[in-house]
Amino acid sequence: MTVADTTLAELTTLRVGGPAGRLLVADTTDELVAHVVDAWSDEDDWLVLGGGSNLLVADQGFPGTVVVVRTRGIDAETDADGVTVRVAAGEPWDAFIATTVERGWTGLEALSGIPGTVGAAPVQNIGAYGVELSDVLTAVDFLDAETGERSWVPASELALGYRTSTLKHGRRGVVLTVEFRLGTATGDGVPVRYAQLAGSLGVELGTRVAPADVRAEVLRLRGSKGMVLDDADPDTWSAGSFFTNPIVSAEFARTMPVDAPRWQVGDDVKLSAAWLIEHAGVHRGYGVPGSRAGISTKHTLALTNRGGATAAQVAELARYVQVTVANRFGVTLVPEPVVVGDLLA
């Protein structure tokens, strides 16, 4: 990577964003620690960037220090009950999942195809097709910005929830390594936990399927929705699902149309953001006139860069979706990506 003159548009999957005030690249964990400590010693703001798949960066860029994480390394210790795996934060997520399948480690195959790096995964508690990272995450090696101390933080202390954690809200610092507890492959495969995935595999929910087959089908499904990055397909130039599925009270959920999808979450109810957007009248392929940002032609939840879009145009589209859904259903959609700059205020 050429650090000089690099814009954050070149480092994010939405392909928008201006320059960084200072850009540092860490290829080893020691370099990552050194760069982050250096950034903290300044009074300027700092930002740690992995795969850039969950960022919307303003066109003005970021005036502080950006530390790009490119660390590598996978260590595993197998015992009679499974395998403990420690992975450097900069490892590309999907390449790591491919490794788990190849080595016969189970538990993450349904999370295939998600862009980004391993270190970013706990921040969002990523999830898909009936699996969340919290199912197998045991700890993170964390450098704390408040204390300057480095320690292993158990997953139980991260308040992992639906697309959230203390790493996203409140706990400032950087993830250096992530530890997982995975199973080992057996002849009868892994259970399929998600109805859509089971249907596309042609099996009943709960049926055990070979991990490689689960991974292949998940990649196919994500690809059909434009959720697998492809340089040749602008429909994939996005931050993935731009809005989280809203969680509302059971009382509010009863005011929704009867055909609105819903899932019980404790005492509350989760609604489908994609359904809300579509039924508010914002359809796949929609774009604000004159803008190069648009709704994906494959998936209503993805806001895409059709080539040459600006961050301001993406933000304009996001606000339009929020206002349209709020006016129609009284639900305020919450953006999932981290927003850098005053874009959605």
Side-chain angles (χ1 to χ4, degrees):
M1 177 191 300
T2 302
V3 174
D5 301 322
T6 298
T7 66
L8 296 178
E10 300 170 64
L11 301 174
T12 60
T13 56
L14 260 170
R15 306 186 180 204
V16 299
R22 181 171 62 146
L23 194 67
L24 303 174
V25 180
D27 293 312
T28 68
T29 298
D30 286 345
E31 282 186 347
L32 178 55
V33 171
H35 287 337
V36 170
V37 170
D38 180 38
W40 293 346
S41 68
D42 294 336
E43 294 184 0
D44 293 335
D45 289 338
W46 55 275
L47 174 70
V48 174
L49 188 149
S53 60
N54 200 48
L55 281 176
L56 172 59
V57 182
D59 297 308
Q60 294 78 16
F62 182 75
T65 298
V66 175
V67 179
V68 182
V69 185
R70 294 289 183 265
T71 57
R72 295 290 188 272
I74 300 174
D75 295 317
E77 184 176 337
T78 303
D79 56 44
D81 299 318
V83 57
T84 298
V85 186
R86 289 184 169 181
V87 189
E91 283 283 352
W93 177 260
D94 190 57
F96 166 56
I97 302 306
T99 297
T100 68
V101 173
E102 291 166 3
R103 297 188 184 181
W105 304 335
T106 62
L108 289 171
E109 51 283 324
L111 302 186
S112 294
I114 296 177
T117 56
V118 170
V123 178
Q124 286 288 105
N125 185 28
I126 61 173
Y129 298 107
V131 175
E132 286 195 334
L133 194 75
S134 55
D135 297 334
V136 295
L137 179 70
T138 53
V140 297
D141 182 11
F142 187 72
L143 185 63
D144 194 298
E146 303 300 328
T147 66
E149 295 180 356
R150 176 180 176 179
S151 64
W152 282 95
V153 180
S156 59
E157 296 181 11
L158 297 178
L160 297 161
Y162 173 62
R163 302 301 173 270
T164 191
S165 70
T166 59
L167 298 171
K168 185 175 182 179
H169 300 289
R171 191 187 291 260
R172 299 179 71 247
V174 58
V175 173
L176 305 173
T177 309
V178 182
E179 182 183 87
F180 304 92
R181 182 63 179 174
L182 304 178
T184 51
T186 60
D188 57 354
V190 295
V192 178
R193 305 180 187 177
Y194 197 76
Q196 182 189 25
L197 179 57
S200 64
L201 284 165
V203 302
E204 296 293 326
L205 194 64
T207 300
R208 303 184 79 90
V209 175
D213 292 340
V214 172
R215 171 172 166 76
E217 188 59 23
V218 167
L219 288 173
R220 189 194 69 79
L221 284 170
R222 289 184 63 86
S224 71
K225 300 174 183 178
M227 294 294 189
V228 176
L229 293 175
D230 181 352
D231 286 343
D233 183 4
D235 250 357
T236 73
W237 301 355
S238 74
S241 296
F242 197 89
F243 299 102
T244 59
N245 290 322
I247 297 177
V248 301
S249 68
E251 181 180 6
F252 183 88
R254 287 193 286 271
T255 70
M256 299 297 296
V258 294
D259 59 335
R262 64 199 73 198
W263 302 269
Q264 200 70 33
V265 181
D267 294 331
D268 296 322
V269 177
K270 182 190 295 184
L271 304 176
S272 166
W275 188 95
L276 294 171
I277 295 169
E278 187 76 26
H279 287 77
V282 184
H283 303 298
R284 298 177 189 181
Y286 173 82
V288 176
S291 172
R292 295 301 300 163
I295 302 293
S296 167
T297 64
K298 302 181 181 74
H299 197 292
T300 314
L301 265 183
L303 275 58
T304 67
N305 179 349
R306 294 174 173 172
T310 64
Q313 289 174 341
V314 174
E316 179 187 22
L317 178 60
R319 286 193 298 269
Y320 174 81
V321 171
Q322 287 176 305
V323 169
T324 303
V325 169
N327 287 343
R328 174 66 180 84
F329 295 111
V331 176
T332 300
L333 295 180
V334 176
E336 185 170 328
V338 174
V339 179
V340 177
D342 188 17
L343 286 168
L344 294 178

PDB file of all heavy atoms in Angstrom, residues 178-193:
ATOM      1  N   VAL A 178      -8.233 -12.379  18.341  1.00  0.00           N
ATOM      2  CA  VAL A 178      -9.552 -12.881  18.720  1.00  0.00           C
ATOM      3  C   VAL A 178      -9.456 -14.381  18.963  1.00  0.00           C
ATOM      4  O   VAL A 178      -8.837 -15.106  18.182  1.00  0.00           O
ATOM      5  CB  VAL A 178     -10.603 -12.593  17.621  1.00  0.00           C
ATOM      6  CG1 VAL A 178     -11.976 -13.078  18.054  1.00  0.00           C
ATOM      7  CG2 VAL A 178     -10.639 -11.103  17.297  1.00  0.00           C
ATOM      8  N   GLU A 179     -10.085 -14.827  20.049  1.00  0.00           N
ATOM      9  CA  GLU A 179     -10.059 -16.248  20.398  1.00  0.00           C
ATOM     10  C   GLU A 179     -11.447 -16.869  20.234  1.00  0.00           C
ATOM     11  O   GLU A 179     -12.444 -16.315  20.701  1.00  0.00           O
ATOM     12  CB  GLU A 179      -9.587 -16.430  21.837  1.00  0.00           C
ATOM     13  CG  GLU A 179      -9.494 -17.888  22.273  1.00  0.00           C
ATOM     14  CD  GLU A 179      -9.097 -18.030  23.725  1.00  0.00           C
ATOM     15  OE1 GLU A 179     -10.008 -18.010  24.597  1.00  0.00           O
ATOM     16  OE2 GLU A 179      -7.879 -18.131  23.985  1.00  0.00           O
ATOM     17  N   PHE A 180     -11.481 -18.031  19.567  1.00  0.00           N
ATOM     18  CA  PHE A 180     -12.720 -18.766  19.335  1.00  0.00           C
ATOM     19  C   PHE A 180     -12.614 -20.165  19.928  1.00  0.00           C
ATOM     20  O   PHE A 180     -11.531 -20.750  19.989  1.00  0.00           O
ATOM     21  CB  PHE A 180     -12.996 -18.915  17.833  1.00  0.00           C
ATOM     22  CG  PHE A 180     -13.039 -17.625  17.075  1.00  0.00           C
ATOM     23  CD1 PHE A 180     -11.889 -17.121  16.461  1.00  0.00           C
ATOM     24  CD2 PHE A 180     -14.207 -16.899  16.957  1.00  0.00           C
ATOM     25  CE1 PHE A 180     -11.914 -15.932  15.748  1.00  0.00           C
ATOM     26  CE2 PHE A 180     -14.239 -15.711  16.251  1.00  0.00           C
ATOM     27  CZ  PHE A 180     -13.100 -15.230  15.642  1.00  0.00           C
ATOM     28  N   ARG A 181     -13.754 -20.716  20.299  1.00  0.00           N
ATOM     29  CA  ARG A 181     -13.835 -22.119  20.678  1.00  0.00           C
ATOM     30  C   ARG A 181     -14.733 -22.796  19.648  1.00  0.00           C
ATOM     31  O   ARG A 181     -15.939 -22.524  19.576  1.00  0.00           O
ATOM     32  CB  ARG A 181     -14.430 -22.271  22.075  1.00  0.00           C
ATOM     33  CG  ARG A 181     -14.513 -23.716  22.563  1.00  0.00           C
ATOM     34  CD  ARG A 181     -13.143 -24.358  22.692  1.00  0.00           C
ATOM     35  NE  ARG A 181     -13.253 -25.736  23.175  1.00  0.00           N
ATOM     36  CZ  ARG A 181     -12.239 -26.574  23.271  1.00  0.00           C
ATOM     37  NH1 ARG A 181     -11.012 -26.179  22.912  1.00  0.00           N
ATOM     38  NH2 ARG A 181     -12.414 -27.796  23.719  1.00  0.00           N
ATOM     39  N   LEU A 182     -14.124 -23.636  18.818  1.00  0.00           N
ATOM     40  CA  LEU A 182     -14.835 -24.272  17.714  1.00  0.00           C
ATOM     41  C   LEU A 182     -14.927 -25.772  17.924  1.00  0.00           C
ATOM     42  O   LEU A 182     -14.164 -26.360  18.705  1.00  0.00           O
ATOM     43  CB  LEU A 182     -14.122 -23.968  16.392  1.00  0.00           C
ATOM     44  CG  LEU A 182     -13.915 -22.487  16.053  1.00  0.00           C
ATOM     45  CD1 LEU A 182     -13.166 -22.353  14.743  1.00  0.00           C
ATOM     46  CD2 LEU A 182     -15.247 -21.748  15.999  1.00  0.00           C
ATOM     47  N   GLY A 183     -15.865 -26.372  17.199  1.00  0.00           N
ATOM     48  CA  GLY A 183     -15.970 -27.820  17.210  1.00  0.00           C
ATOM     49  C   GLY A 183     -15.060 -28.426  16.167  1.00  0.00           C
ATOM     50  O   GLY A 183     -14.378 -27.720  15.414  1.00  0.00           O
ATOM     51  N   THR A 184     -15.025 -29.739  16.121  1.00  0.00           N
ATOM     52  CA  THR A 184     -14.278 -30.441  15.081  1.00  0.00           C
ATOM     53  C   THR A 184     -15.256 -31.280  14.278  1.00  0.00           C
ATOM     54  O   THR A 184     -16.225 -31.829  14.820  1.00  0.00           O
ATOM     55  CB  THR A 184     -13.185 -31.334  15.688  1.00  0.00           C
ATOM     56  OG1 THR A 184     -13.750 -32.163  16.714  1.00  0.00           O
ATOM     57  CG2 THR A 184     -12.082 -30.492  16.292  1.00  0.00           C
ATOM     58  N   ALA A 185     -15.003 -31.348  12.990  1.00  0.00           N
ATOM     59  CA  ALA A 185     -15.952 -31.969  12.064  1.00  0.00           C
ATOM     60  C   ALA A 185     -16.152 -33.447  12.378  1.00  0.00           C
ATOM     61  O   ALA A 185     -15.214 -34.169  12.694  1.00  0.00           O
ATOM     62  CB  ALA A 185     -15.466 -31.790  10.633  1.00  0.00           C
ATOM     63  N   THR A 186     -17.416 -33.858  12.282  1.00  0.00           N
ATOM     64  CA  THR A 186     -17.763 -35.274  12.402  1.00  0.00           C
ATOM     65  C   THR A 186     -18.465 -35.701  11.123  1.00  0.00           C
ATOM     66  O   THR A 186     -18.848 -34.868  10.302  1.00  0.00           O
ATOM     67  CB  THR A 186     -18.692 -35.508  13.602  1.00  0.00           C
ATOM     68  OG1 THR A 186     -19.900 -34.733  13.419  1.00  0.00           O
ATOM     69  CG2 THR A 186     -18.024 -35.091  14.901  1.00  0.00           C
ATOM     70  N   GLY A 187     -18.656 -36.985  10.977  1.00  0.00           N
ATOM     71  CA  GLY A 187     -19.227 -37.504   9.737  1.00  0.00           C
ATOM     72  C   GLY A 187     -20.633 -37.035   9.446  1.00  0.00           C
ATOM     73  O   GLY A 187     -21.050 -36.997   8.286  1.00  0.00           O
ATOM     74  N   ASP A 188     -21.387 -36.633  10.499  1.00  0.00           N
ATOM     75  CA  ASP A 188     -22.779 -36.234  10.260  1.00  0.00           C
ATOM     76  C   ASP A 188     -22.951 -34.736  10.065  1.00  0.00           C
ATOM     77  O   ASP A 188     -24.076 -34.245   9.962  1.00  0.00           O
ATOM     78  CB  ASP A 188     -23.687 -36.731  11.385  1.00  0.00           C
ATOM     79  CG  ASP A 188     -23.242 -36.246  12.763  1.00  0.00           C
ATOM     80  OD1 ASP A 188     -22.170 -35.630  12.850  1.00  0.00           O
ATOM     81  OD2 ASP A 188     -23.977 -36.502  13.734  1.00  0.00           O
ATOM     82  N   GLY A 189     -21.867 -33.962  10.007  1.00  0.00           N
ATOM     83  CA  GLY A 189     -21.948 -32.554   9.655  1.00  0.00           C
ATOM     84  C   GLY A 189     -22.406 -31.658  10.789  1.00  0.00           C
ATOM     85  O   GLY A 189     -22.349 -32.019  11.965  1.00  0.00           O
ATOM     86  N   VAL A 190     -22.888 -30.452  10.428  1.00  0.00           N
ATOM     87  CA  VAL A 190     -23.333 -29.453  11.403  1.00  0.00           C
ATOM     88  C   VAL A 190     -24.816 -29.152  11.174  1.00  0.00           C
ATOM     89  O   VAL A 190     -25.301 -29.218  10.048  1.00  0.00           O
ATOM     90  CB  VAL A 190     -22.510 -28.151  11.270  1.00  0.00           C
ATOM     91  CG1 VAL A 190     -21.057 -28.388  11.639  1.00  0.00           C
ATOM     92  CG2 VAL A 190     -22.602 -27.575   9.855  1.00  0.00           C
ATOM     93  N   PRO A 191     -25.566 -28.822  12.235  1.00  0.00           N
ATOM     94  CA  PRO A 191     -27.000 -28.552  12.068  1.00  0.00           C
ATOM     95  C   PRO A 191     -27.243 -27.224  11.360  1.00  0.00           C
ATOM     96  O   PRO A 191     -26.562 -26.230  11.621  1.00  0.00           O
ATOM     97  CB  PRO A 191     -27.519 -28.524  13.503  1.00  0.00           C
ATOM     98  CG  PRO A 191     -26.331 -28.158  14.336  1.00  0.00           C
ATOM     99  CD  PRO A 191     -25.145 -28.762  13.649  1.00  0.00           C
ATOM    100  N   VAL A 192     -28.228 -27.205  10.482  1.00  0.00           N
ATOM    101  CA  VAL A 192     -28.626 -25.983   9.789  1.00  0.00           C
ATOM    102  C   VAL A 192     -29.674 -25.287  10.651  1.00  0.00           C
ATOM    103  O   VAL A 192     -30.724 -25.862  10.956  1.00  0.00           O
ATOM    104  CB  VAL A 192     -29.199 -26.296   8.397  1.00  0.00           C
ATOM    105  CG1 VAL A 192     -29.653 -25.014   7.709  1.00  0.00           C
ATOM    106  CG2 VAL A 192     -28.150 -27.010   7.551  1.00  0.00           C
ATOM    107  N   ARG A 193     -29.396 -24.030  11.043  1.00  0.00           N
ATOM    108  CA  ARG A 193     -30.235 -23.349  12.029  1.00  0.00           C
ATOM    109  C   ARG A 193     -31.149 -22.286  11.450  1.00  0.00           C
ATOM    110  O   ARG A 193     -31.851 -21.605  12.202  1.00  0.00           O
ATOM    111  CB  ARG A 193     -29.341 -22.685  13.083  1.00  0.00           C
ATOM    112  CG  ARG A 193     -28.359 -23.613  13.777  1.00  0.00           C
ATOM    113  CD  ARG A 193     -27.542 -22.824  14.778  1.00  0.00           C
ATOM    114  NE  ARG A 193     -26.466 -23.592  15.374  1.00  0.00           N
ATOM    115  CZ  ARG A 193     -25.585 -23.100  16.222  1.00  0.00           C
ATOM    116  NH1 ARG A 193     -25.670 -21.810  16.577  1.00  0.00           N
ATOM    117  NH2 ARG A 193     -24.630 -23.849  16.721  1.00  0.00           N
TER     118      ARG A 193
END
